[in-house]
Structures are given as C-alpha cells and as structure tokens.
Amino acid sequence: MNILLLTYSFNYNYGGLLQAYATVKYLESQGHSVTVPKSHPAYLVGNTSLFRGLGLRRRNPITAILRRLRQVERYKRFDSFRSQLPIDASLSSKDAIKRDISRFEAVLTGSDQTWNTKFMPSYEPYFYQGFIAEGPLKVSYASCFGTRQQKDEILSQAAKDLGRFDFIAVRNEVSREIVERLTQKNPTVVVDPTLLHDFNEFRTSAEGNQRPPFIMVYALDIDNFAVAESIVREVQQRQPDIEVHFINGEKNFDKPHWATHLVNSYGPKEFLASMQEASLIVTDSFHGLIFAQKFAKPCIGYSSGWRSERIVSIMSDFGATELLLLDDNPTSVKSVVAKVMDMGARLELGATLQAKINASKSYLANALSEA
C-alpha cells in the first residue's frame, strides 16, 4: 500500500525525528511503501531553521547568535540522519499534496504531539487532514495533544476534521479523552512507534567505550532543572568522580553549573550512542525514557507541570512509577536513586506493555487493510 505519512519529520528534536524514522521502518517492514512530504505546517516553520527564535530584539543579540552557532554541527547531523527518510521534495505544500493525493491509498497522521493546539496561533488543519478531500483512507497512529490544556476555540474547529478520520489511535489516555469529547468516538490507545522498531542498527559495543563513567542528563524543561540537579547530587554522593554530560536539545540551554560537559553536537545517531555508553540516564523526556529501556540502561525519570502527564503515562506502561520523581523532595530522590543504583531497578518491557505493543500492531494492520 502507498501511504503518505504526516508527522514531525522536519524538526531538530531527537524524539520527534526518531519516532518518524521508527514509523517508516515499521510500515516498510509490513510491506508498505511510505512517502513523507517535504511540507509542514506554517506555524512550525521555525522548527526547521537554525536561526529560529534567536532573540535578536533582546539586550544581547550577539550572545544569542553565538549560542545558536554552537549547534551548527548538531543541525548538520540531524539533516544527514533525516536523509534516510523517504522524503518527496515535490510535496512541498498542502496544494502540492492535494494535486498528487491520488498516488496514495492512505494518509497516516502521527505520532508525537501532532494535535497540540498550544503551538497554533490559529487553526491549522494539516495534521488533522482537513485539507484532504475524500479519497484515501484517513488514519491516525499515536497522535497526541501533549497536555490536557488546549485552546478550546481551535479544538472546536478541529472537531469536524477529527470526525472524518476512518480510524483514530492516540498515544495516551489524555488524548483519548479529548478526542472522545470532541467526536463522541472512542479512539484506540496505542504505543509510540519507537516501541514498534528495535533500533538494532544503532546498537553499539560496550568494548568500544573509552570514556570515563558519566551521567547523561537530557532535560527539556528548565523549570525542572532543580529536580535533575538533586538526582545528580545524590548519585555523586555514591560515586564522587562520575561526570555529568548535559545533552542540549532544541532549547539550547547554557551549561548548568552542576554539569561537567555541555554537549551541543549530537545528532540522533550520536544521541543513541551516548545513551548506550552512559552509566545512568536522567531525563524528563518521553522518548528518552523509551530509549533508556530499549537499551537496558539505568534510568531515572522526572517531570512536573504540563509535561508530566505523558511522562507519568509511559512510566506506568513500564510498570515503574516508583522510579519517577515529580519533585525534588530529598527523601524521594534518595529512595529512587537507591532503587536504581543499589537495588538494580530498571525500566522493563513487561507482559502488559508487550500486549499493548501487539495490540498496536494489530490496530495498524486492521486499519490499513480497509484501504
């Protein structure tokens, strides 16, 4: 089957690009032909530029420019990795997709926060497939709103387009509740596509790791830095000489005072390699937690605020809520660190989550068989 995939294939976020890669790989493994358009919604154009959000109107524009330029190698590596996707440059706009839509038997939206209205200044029907007329099968897989707090005026416009999907699957319970409220349909809750692909092609040998022991901190939310620091400090009580490698993401933070190194240069491949070399992973990233489990690495998850709902969801799927910190309470931090470092607690792919993965594969097979 020829499938057009609408997802976050264009950004410079590790989880966003790796989930797009996993979706393509899984669908191809099932015998489908997948095409990814070069186009993306106008409100996300900034996510494709090295110079987005530089802050040139602030007091120190030179500082902002220099901070961004230190990520040039990272952007190059992302673009190199992105070349592995089946991107069709001719599909460079919604109009171009509409003109060529007869090529495809199904249009698939997802995964990731494709339906998050918080990012939209006004309604954009791209990921809701509202610009595509009748013809191909309309399917979503693991689409997510990201948080319960959405823009109601935009959701009301999205409801009609959501109602036209032939099959809807979302990534978590929060997204299921929103879709049900808007459409009176009960969507399927499925796993993120990174759980459908083994990523064995990126596995590294432990023998090749010559670096000193280090904690890999992949932090997305500066408001939660205090929790990350508290975890690091507790680990250092047990292992004083361990280094702390802070992996910069899209937010391009300066090096926290508690980190040994700030890493600006990793693309997705280097990111996965670093995970496998780390002694411990500390992260508030949904996909960071998935890859920690996938590579069987010691990991502590943390979060608070609007990001916490999906972090709680994936840790629950792993049956590891006891390894999740929602604040920097010293007693809680000490307890979680002890479980991981002293008792060997790990994120595990248990029977319940494996059954959910199998059900997710069945959902895709059943939905696409209808085209």
Side-chain angles (χ1 to χ4, degrees), residues 44-159:
L44 292 172
V45 166
N47 285 7
T48 68
S49 170
L50 173 64
F51 300 104
R52 73 178 179 90
L54 274 178
L56 296 179
R57 297 179 181 178
R58 297 176 185 174
R59 293 183 180 180
N60 298 306
I62 299 300
T63 300
I65 293 171
L66 292 175
R67 183 184 292 126
R68 186 58 52 82
L69 288 176
R70 70 190 182 188
Q71 288 200 313
V72 167
E73 185 61 30
R74 177 177 178 272
Y75 275 69
K76 288 180 179 178
R77 285 174 166 170
F78 262 84
D79 289 338
S80 176
F81 187 93
R82 198 186 329 275
S83 67
Q84 300 180 64
L85 298 180
I87 296 175
D88 187 336
S90 73
L91 301 178
S92 57
S93 67
K94 287 187 292 188
D95 286 339
I97 291 174
K98 286 191 290 185
R99 285 194 299 268
D100 222 4
I101 199 64
S102 61
R103 288 170 49 190
F104 306 104
E105 295 155 278
V107 180
L108 180 69
T109 293
S111 166
D112 222 322
Q113 298 180 59
T114 47
W115 289 345
N116 195 338
T117 63
K118 289 181 68 174
F119 303 151
M120 299 181 190
S122 59
Y123 180 56
E124 168 54 66
Y126 188 87
F127 288 123
Y128 295 93
Q129 300 190 24
F131 69 102
I132 297 173
E134 299 299 324
L137 197 71
K138 293 189 174 188
V139 181
S140 77
Y141 182 82
S143 290
C144 177
F145 288 92
T147 176
R148 211 175 288 273
Q149 285 71 49
Q150 298 293 313
K151 295 180 177 179
D152 289 337
E153 69 280 8
I154 295 180
L155 281 183
S156 64
Q157 297 176 72

Side-chain angles (χ1 to χ4, degrees), residues 150-225:
Q150 298 293 313
K151 295 180 177 179
D152 289 337
E153 69 280 8
I154 295 180
L155 281 183
S156 64
Q157 297 176 72
K160 177 185 283 189
D161 291 333
L162 278 173
R164 290 174 175 156
F165 273 78
D166 297 290
F167 294 89
I168 300 181
V170 295
R171 196 169 66 175
N172 52 35
E173 183 63 23
V174 169
S175 298
R176 187 200 67 77
E177 292 173 3
I178 294 174
V179 171
E180 184 178 44
R181 173 166 56 84
L182 292 174
T183 68
Q184 287 71 58
K185 294 182 178 180
N186 187 15
T188 304
V189 178
V190 294
V191 300
D192 189 85
T194 53
L195 288 166
L196 302 181
H197 182 62
D198 56 27
F199 286 86
N200 283 338
E201 64 270 39
F202 299 108
R203 293 190 183 275
T204 60
S205 171
E207 297 177 359
N209 182 13
Q210 302 297 318
R211 291 195 280 186
F214 67 94
I215 304 168
M216 175 179 172
V217 178
Y218 178 44
L220 301 180
D221 191 343
I222 195 170
D223 293 335
N224 290 328
F225 274 19

Side-chain angles (χ1 to χ4, degrees), residues 1 105 137 139 166-167 364-371:
M1 176 186 296
E105 295 155 278
L137 197 71
V139 181
D166 297 290
F167 294 89
L364 271 175
N366 293 336
L368 296 175
S369 69
E370 294 296 318

